[in-house]
Amino acid sequence: MSDAFTREPPWDPRLFPPAARAPRAVQTARMLLEPQGYARSLRRRFGPVFSLRTFPYRGALVCAADAASNRAVLTDHARFTGGDAAALLAPAVGSGSLICTPPPVHLGHRKLLLPPFHGARIIRWTERVRELVHTELPALLSGDGVPLRPWAQRLTLDVILRVVFGLTDPARIATFRTALSSFVAMGNLAVLFLPKPLQRDLGPLSPGGRFHRLRATVRDLAREEIAARRTESDHAHRDDVLSMLLDARDEHGAGLDDAQLLDELTGLVLAGYETTATTIAWTLHLLAHHPAARDDLIADLDEGSGRLLKATIKESGRLRPAVCNAMRTAAHDTELGGRPVPRGAFVAALFSLTHLDPELWPEPDAFRPERHLGTDPVPYSLTPFGGGVRRCIGVSLAQLETETVLREILAAAVPEPAGPLEPARLVAVTLVPAQGGRVRLGARR
């Protein structure tokens, strides 16, 4: 068991913010099936800082659901520290991943990882994404209702294989695709939220056994790619993330060893695959159910503008952020929004709920992209990629992917409803459309 979980304090209503009295299993089920609705009911009852008594926490998850407490959790690193809070993901990504590194190590690693995600190379990646969209687009133009999320998952995984790993050989891409898609599937990662005995490797048919075997396959493939790339001398002429990380050096001239590279690459895959695919699916699904906003966006794009596209993606991320929250742990006994928080407790900036605060966002349930065309929002009222020094490092790639995919699809097709507007479900830490975000895409004339 992770140190973070062994240090977590047990539930004591005197030491935590208030929580519902429902059994832990009931609260867990409600958060999985109606994450935003259930959390909203708790905020109405207890205020913007409350506790959720859900699995896998033995105490409670402290939730911050307004801009002020959101900001405190994301930026007050003396009280709320990162790294340990992501301990749940360590078996999947490795303890050396940027996602799991503690504050002293995190900043150093972040400086090494940032350069690949900035500058001209981001622009060069646009054409690769565009080519992949055109290859996969016919699968969407069948005339029948299709779930967008599985399609977007295939697309974003291929982007990762080419942009992050720099793969070009079709056979190698197919091998990686099979291994990675099985490993990062939500049904497999859900093992991380099971009780510890069920996470153990009890044979190939057990949930834990399947998880460990899929993980080993992915890491073996990545090790092979790292070893092969180290023998090459043309890193400077390549623009994939792996090549640039092989040449990255800190202020002391030290680079990343194979174990660190392995963990960082796995973390980039896990962080960039599901979130980007889910954002694409939600945005197109919401546009299909809001034809006025859809038609305005298409007209704006046809005129060569990207202003409304950016606003639409922001509104989708406000209403249905791909990630439910950003996690931290309390460094010592403290308070949040006037509520007590004990040392070692897990604390979540629950921005999926902050984004629905009517004091910050009038008519919070309405899909209105134009609200993002005016003045900037209140700081930390819109944080779909987290915030502070632990903000998602791949946000520029995610935005490039999402904007490019939407431009190409809306140039060729018009999304229309293929059923009712789908509610959100919580799978691991991702808010996903309950039926995959079904739409009907009709070819534009």
Side-chain angles (χ1 to χ4, degrees):
M1 182 177 288
S2 162
D3 288 344
F5 284 97
T6 60
R7 291 194 298 267
E8 181 193 2
W11 169 250
D12 185 335
R14 299 166 300 177
L15 302 179
F16 280 85
R21 293 185 178 181
R24 192 182 302 270
V26 172
Q27 293 193 43
T28 302
R30 292 199 64 181
M31 276 302 293
L32 292 174
L33 295 175
E34 47 173 335
Q36 289 175 295
Y38 182 52
R40 283 175 109 172
S41 71
L42 295 178
R43 174 175 173 158
R44 285 193 295 267
R45 181 176 172 186
F46 299 119
V49 178
F50 55 88
S51 294
L52 268 170
R53 299 193 63 211
T54 59
F55 295 115
Y57 310 103
R58 68 170 184 167
L61 177 63
V62 177
C63 298
D66 67 347
S69 54
N70 221 28
R71 182 173 193 159
V73 174
L74 293 173
T75 64
D76 191 342
H77 309 298
R79 292 196 297 151
F80 305 108
T81 62
D84 272 356
L88 198 66
L89 299 176
V93 299
S95 58
S97 167
L98 191 69
I99 295 171
C100 300
T101 50
V105 180
H106 181 86
L107 288 178
H109 278 204
R110 192 176 183 87
K111 289 179 182 177
L112 284 175
L113 290 172
L114 269 175
F117 294 98
H118 292 276
R121 61 185 62 87
I122 285 284
I123 306 301
R124 292 199 296 270
W125 291 343
T126 303
E127 188 55 38
R128 296 186 195 177
V129 177
R130 186 179 291 118
E131 290 170 359
L132 288 170
V133 174
H134 281 286
T135 299
E136 298 291 341
L137 190 55
L140 290 180
L141 301 179
S142 63
D144 299 322
V146 293
L148 284 163
R149 189 164 167 267
W151 178 88
Q153 286 173 309
R154 292 192 296 273
L155 178 73
T156 56
L157 184 58
D158 275 0
V159 171
I160 285 171
L161 294 177
R162 287 163 174 79
V163 168
V164 175
F165 284 92
L167 301 180
T168 56
D169 178 64
R172 188 71 171 162
I173 288 172
T175 301
F176 260 84
R177 185 190 294 121
T178 300
L180 278 172
S181 59
S182 298
F183 177 61
V184 299
M186 284 300 166
N188 185 52
L189 294 181
V191 170
L192 302 176
F193 293 80
L194 295 176
K196 283 295 175 181
L198 295 181
Q199 294 185 27
R200 295 175 186 148
D201 186 352
L202 302 177
L205 298 181
S206 67
R210 183 173 185 272
F211 172 87
H212 287 288
R213 283 160 178 77
L214 290 173
R215 178 180 184 270
T217 299
V218 167
R219 291 176 81 84
D220 286 346
L221 285 171
R223 283 191 193 94
E224 292 171 7
E225 197 62 30
I226 292 168
R229 200 68 61 81
R230 283 201 187 277
T231 66
E232 299 176 359
S233 58
D234 65 340
H235 300 160
H237 301 290
R238 302 180 61 128
D239 61 4
D240 58 272
V241 174
L242 173 55
S243 293
M244 286 180 276
L245 291 182
L246 285 168
D247 289 336
R249 297 293 181 269
D250 62 19
E251 61 271 24
H252 305 295
L256 298 170
D257 61 29
D258 284 5
Q260 291 171 321
L261 272 173
L262 191 59
D263 287 353
E264 298 296 7
L265 289 171
T266 309
L268 288 171
V269 171
L270 197 63
Y273 165 73
E274 283 288 353
T275 54
T276 307
T278 302
T279 298
I280 292 168
W282 271 126
T283 305
L284 286 166
H285 186 66
L286 289 166
L287 285 171
H289 286 271
H290 296 85
R294 175 200 65 200
D295 294 344
D296 286 347
L297 173 58
I298 290 174
D300 195 58
L301 288 171
D302 286 350
E303 292 175 2
S305 171
R307 185 166 170 260
L308 195 51
L309 176 60
K310 293 181 185 297
T312 300
I313 295 169
K314 284 183 180 179
E315 181 68 347
S316 173
R318 182 196 67 82
L319 199 58
R320 294 291 187 269
V323 179
C324 183
N325 59 55
M327 296 284 292
R328 304 289 188 267
T329 50
H332 50 76
D333 291 343
T334 185
E335 61 80 30
L336 183 63
R339 303 289 195 182
V341 179
R343 179 176 182 266
F346 289 92
V347 184
L350 195 63
F351 40 75
S352 57
L353 189 52
T354 304
H355 291 178
L356 300 178
D357 185 343
E359 294 183 8
L360 299 169
W361 304 100
E363 298 182 70
D365 294 306
F367 182 71
R368 289 172 37 204
E370 66 274 11
R371 72 170 88 226
H372 302 282
L373 296 176
T375 58
D376 291 335
V378 172
Y380 292 89
S381 64
L382 184 64
T383 52
F385 295 101
V389 298
R390 300 189 80 94
R391 185 171 184 256
C392 176
I393 197 169
V395 61
S396 55
L397 176 58
Q399 289 172 333
L400 177 147
E401 284 187 73
T402 304
E403 289 181 17
T404 304
V405 170
L406 291 174
R407 281 182 186 276
E408 297 306 311
I409 288 179
L410 295 176
V414 178
E416 297 176 344
L421 182 65
E422 296 174 18
R425 298 286 185 262
L426 184 61
V427 181
V429 295
T430 307
L431 287 177
V432 303
Q435 303 300 322
R438 295 183 65 84
V439 299
R440 182 176 291 106
L441 283 164
R444 289 182 62 183
R445 295 182 180 179

